[in-house]
Each structure stands twice: as structure tokens, then as C-alpha cells.
């Protein structure tokens, strides 16, 4: 018996009856020979971990643009925190840890430079709009590996596509990641906001603190425990009404006091302008795009606006800034012998 088959047998014996088993996967768009060691979802996890889009997350904004300090979250550190939360919940509920990890590592691959500020600009200017979840799917299906994509399983793609508030994944593992994402970002954003002296723990309304706790550690413990206890031996993944209500209220508090705070988001106006100007410049000057993007436009693979969105959304913050300088800021020059 192959090692992979032994692992799949252990899944059948040990995981919850509601867990998504590798052997029951709907498979990949393109059939492949299976690995003799790694089951499907583990291979998906590895493919995402080693792709270029994942590595770029380390230099993309989470909430604070270009913060002065080494301890603020990036999109990469956020992704790893989501993954850890999701694995903790999945292990306790006997769900498929490889599947939750693959979804968690891939859920934000499509994020633009400068966080949601960049996403909002592309959504406004692109004819078909822009959504980072859809872009994450596009990356793993069409853009990675020079257009071949990663050929991930249906279950991983479904979890990545539906991780936001306004949609629902089809698997319990996808639902775990969806909640883990919210748990991660509300707590990390509070932690970063306190570090930046935008708010203090005491600023959080008492009714929220009475339910969720008075520190990041307490809130994480409360939220993760609540998901596990409420979902135990159930086909659904959810929070209790009280805790979920407090989480929603905490998110509203963050929108009012952090996400729209002029001090915290003051540089976003500049970042938005940069993305806006880059997009429109490339629309009018496709000849300066990198060769692979020019070739796609020349072949008529897709609308040039869509391809330009691929290019800009894939940029890191520093790369976007460098390209803006290259396009719009005159170079210094000197005349020999002056």
C-alpha cells in the first residue's frame, strides 16, 4: 500500500463524519497522476506555498501603509495567522487540516498593493470591476506557472473564492477558514492599532469586551473556543449568536475607528492616486508593459484592462511605488563637465 493510501485510510478512520476526505474530492480540472506520498489537499497546500504570488504577500499591506516598525502585520503574516487559527479549529473538530491550510494560504493571493485601498481603485476603474477573492482564484487557475495555473482541487478553489462575508463555502473546512479570517484580522488590526497609538483597549466598547475579553489573547481564545464548542459534532461551522454578534459589533467599531481613521489611513489617498494613475497610464501605453503581458494583449487573450489589472494587482507595495516613480518622476541628469 502506498503511503498516500495509508494516510487516506487514517482519514477515513479518524476524521469526523462531516470532514471532507481526500478520496471524496471532486478533483482537478485537469487529471493528474496522484503522488505516492501526499494526498490531494496536501499537494495543493504545497503548490500554493511555493508559488510566486504567495511570496509576494510579505511585501503587501495588511492595514497600515509603510508603518515605521517591524512588528506590524503584512498580508503574509495575516495569512499565516489565519492558517494557524483554522488548523487549531480543524484539529479540534477532526476536520481535514490539509484542506483548511491550503484554503487559508491561498485566500488572499489576489490582494493588490496597498491593501483594500488598491482593491477599491481597481474595482472602480476596471470595466468588469475587481475583487480580490476572484483574483486569487484567477491567479491559481490562470496566472501562476506562466499561465498554466496550479490546477488545484475543486474544494480548495471553492474555499478561496467564498472566504468573504457575503458568500459561503461548500465544505466545513472552507467555513472554518472564512471564520478564521475574521478572527485573525479583527484581533491583529486591534493589536496594530494599539501599537500605532490609534486606540487603546479601553476604547473598545464595554459590551464587546464583556463578551470577547479585554486583550488580544483573551479574544482569540474566546472566539476560537466558541467556534469549536458551537460546531462540535455538527455538520455546520458557526459561532454562538452572542459571540458572533459581539464580533460583528467589533468589526463595526474597527471600521469607524481604524479602517476609516484619518491618522491611520492618511497615506491611502496617495496610494489610491498611484494605483489610479498607473492603471490609466498602462491602458494608454501598453507598449511599456512586461513582455508576457504585452503578448497576451497582442494575442487578444483577454481585454487589455483585465490584463493590466493582473499586472498591477500582482505588484508589491514597493514595486508599485518604484513603477510609479519610473513612469511619472523625472530622472536626475547631469551634463559632463558642468
Amino acid at each position: 500500500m502506498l503511503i498516500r493510501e495509508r494516510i487516506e485510510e487514517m482519514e477515513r478512520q479518524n476524521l469526523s463524519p462531516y470532514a471532507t476526505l481526500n478520496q471524496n474530492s471532486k478533483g482537478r480540472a485537469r487529471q493528474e497522476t496522484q503522488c505516492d506520498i501526499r494526498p490531494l489537499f496536501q499537494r495543493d497546500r504545497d503548490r500554493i506555498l511555493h508559488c510566486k504570488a504567495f511570496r509576494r504577500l510579505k511585501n503587501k499591506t495588511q492595514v497600515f501603509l509603510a508603518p515605521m516598525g517591524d512588528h506590524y502585520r503584512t498580508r503574509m503574516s495575516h495569512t499565516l495567522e489565519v492558517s494557524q487559527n483554522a488548523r487549531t479549529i480543524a484539529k479540534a473538530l477532526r476536520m481535514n487540516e490539509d484542506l483548511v491550510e491550503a484554503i487559508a494560504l491561498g485566500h488572499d493571493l489576489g490582494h493588490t498593493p496597498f491593501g483594500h485601498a488598491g482593491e477599491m481603485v481597481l474595482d472602480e476603474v476596471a470595466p468588469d470591476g475587481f475583487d480580490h477573492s476572484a483574483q486569487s482564484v484567477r491567479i491559481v487557475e490562470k496566472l501562476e506557472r506562466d499561465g498554466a495555473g496550479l490546477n488545484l482541487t475543486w474544494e480548495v478553489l471553492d474555499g478561496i473564492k467564498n472566504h468573504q462575508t457575503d458568500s459561503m463555502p461548500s465544505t466545513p473546512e472552507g467555513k472554518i477558514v472564512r471564520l478564521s479570517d475574521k478572527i485573525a484580522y479583527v484581533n491583529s488590526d486591534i493589536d496594530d492599532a494599539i501599537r500605532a497609538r490609534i486606540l487603546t483597549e479601553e476604547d473598545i466598547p464595554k459590551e464587546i469586551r464583556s463578551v470577547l475579553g479585554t486583550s488580544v489573547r483573551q479574544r482569540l481564545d474566546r472566539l476560537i473556543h466558541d467556534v469549536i464548542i458551537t460546531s462540535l459534532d455538527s455538520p455546520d461551522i458557526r459561532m454562538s449568536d452572542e459571540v458572533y454578534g459581539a464580533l460583528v459589533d467589533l468589526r463595526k467599531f474597527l471600521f469607524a475607528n481604524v479602517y476609516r481613521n484619518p491618522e491611520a489611513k492618511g497615506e491611502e489617498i496617495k496610494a489610491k492616486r498611484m494605483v489610479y494613475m498607473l492603471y490609466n497610464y498602462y491602458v494608454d501605453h501598453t507598449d511599456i508593459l512586461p513582455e508576457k503581458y504585452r503578448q497576451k494583449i497582442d494575442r487578444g487573450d483577454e481585454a487589455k484592462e483585465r490584463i493590466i489589472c493582473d499586472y498591477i494587482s500582482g505588484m508589491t507595495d514597493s514595486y508599485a511605488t518604484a513603477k510609479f516613480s519610473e513612469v511619472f518622476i523625472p530622472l536626475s541628469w547631469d551634463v559632463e563637465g558642468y
Side-chain angles (χ1 to χ4, degrees):
M1 180 182 290
L2 298 175
I3 293 174
R4 170 181 53 79
E5 293 174 341
R6 293 179 181 177
I7 295 172
E8 291 171 346
E9 177 60 29
M10 287 190 290
E11 284 186 353
R12 289 191 291 270
Q13 293 178 5
N14 299 322
L15 293 188
S16 163
Y18 307 115
T20 305
L21 303 183
N22 278 278
Q23 67 176 37
N24 295 333
S25 171
K26 294 182 180 180
R28 310 182 187 280
R30 301 188 302 276
Q31 292 296 318
E32 298 179 6
T33 301
Q34 287 228 51
C35 177
D36 62 333
I37 296 175
R38 297 168 298 162
L40 292 172
F41 302 141
Q42 186 180 349
R43 291 188 78 186
D44 283 2
R45 187 274 314 276
D46 294 348
R47 290 178 184 188
I48 293 169
L49 188 64
H50 291 286
C51 78
K52 291 186 288 186
F54 181 80
R55 296 197 294 274
R56 291 196 298 268
L57 295 177
K58 70 180 182 295
N59 290 318
K60 291 193 176 191
T61 291
Q62 173 65 14
V63 170
F64 290 88
L65 280 171
M68 296 297 292
D70 294 331
H71 301 127
Y72 291 89
R73 269 74 170 188
T74 64
R75 192 63 58 179
M76 170 77 80
S77 54
H78 161 73
T79 294
L80 296 177
E81 289 176 357
V82 174
S83 176
Q84 185 58 51
N85 291 343
R87 287 194 61 185
T88 297
I89 295 169
K91 183 183 288 288
L93 295 177
R94 293 189 297 124
M95 296 296 175
N96 195 311
E97 288 185 61
D98 288 336
L99 178 53
V100 297
E101 188 171 20
I103 296 170
L105 294 180
H107 82 283
D108 270 357
L109 293 179
H111 252 295
T112 61
F114 313 119
H116 287 287
E119 180 177 14
M120 285 188 286
V121 173
L122 291 185
D123 189 41
E124 291 171 2
V125 298
D128 296 327
F130 184 90
D131 174 77
H132 80 269
S133 295
Q135 187 68 15
S136 296
V137 174
R138 182 174 169 81
I139 285 171
V140 298
E141 284 193 316
K142 295 185 176 183
L143 302 183
E144 277 289 336
R145 295 183 178 174
D146 296 321
L150 302 183
N151 197 29
L152 304 180
T153 56
W154 182 92
E155 291 78 10
V156 173
L157 292 174
D158 173 78
I160 293 173
K161 179 181 178 181
N162 296 298
H163 77 270
Q164 296 192 83
T165 301
D166 57 355
S167 56
M168 186 63 70
S170 301
T171 65
E173 288 82 2
K175 294 176 182 177
I176 288 173
V177 175
R178 181 175 175 271
L179 286 177
S180 296
D181 183 31
K182 295 173 177 58
I183 292 170
Y185 74 68
V186 296
N187 283 290
S188 63
D189 295 350
I190 289 172
D191 191 38
D192 284 352
I194 292 173
R195 179 173 291 106
R197 299 181 182 179
I198 301 300
L199 56 79
T200 66
E201 280 286 351
E202 289 70 30
D203 293 326
I204 301 171
K206 289 182 180 180
E207 55 270 26
I208 296 176
R209 285 187 286 150
S210 67
V211 175
L212 299 182
T214 58
S215 68
V216 170
R217 181 176 180 178
Q218 288 181 12
R219 280 188 295 273
L220 282 170
D221 185 74
R222 179 78 165 104
L223 288 162
I224 290 172
H225 270 79
D226 188 76
V227 174
I228 293 169
I229 293 168
T230 308
S231 306
L232 199 62
D233 299 323
S234 168
D236 196 17
I237 305 296
R238 60 188 184 88
M239 292 180 179
S240 65
D241 292 341
E242 179 187 32
V243 170
Y244 186 73
L247 179 63
V248 170
D249 290 341
L250 182 56
R251 189 169 177 269
K252 291 177 182 177
F253 169 81
L254 286 171
F255 267 96
N257 294 276
V258 177
Y259 304 147
R260 299 190 181 114
N261 184 298
E263 186 176 352
K265 312 299 278 184
E267 296 298 300
E268 277 195 0
I269 295 174
K270 299 175 186 177
K272 288 181 177 180
R273 188 65 178 169
M274 285 172 58
V275 174
Y276 177 84
M277 292 175 68
L278 281 173
Y279 174 86
N280 285 289
Y281 190 85
Y282 288 133
V283 167
D284 294 333
H285 300 85
T286 57
D287 57 296
I288 70 167
L289 290 168
E291 182 179 0
K292 68 177 182 179
Y293 295 99
R294 294 200 310 270
Q295 290 177 349
K296 289 182 178 182
I297 293 173
D298 293 342
R299 290 195 303 264
D301 290 358
E302 294 179 90
K304 67 177 181 180
E305 292 84 359
R306 178 70 264 171
I307 294 169
I308 290 167
C309 280
D310 289 339
Y311 180 46
I312 293 177
S313 65
M315 294 178 177
T316 62
D317 295 11
S318 57
Y319 186 82
T321 302
K323 284 297 171 184
F324 181 86
S325 297
E326 179 182 306
V327 170
F328 292 107
I329 307 299
L331 292 174
S332 298
W333 63 281
D334 186 19
V335 178
E336 186 176 354
Y338 175 76

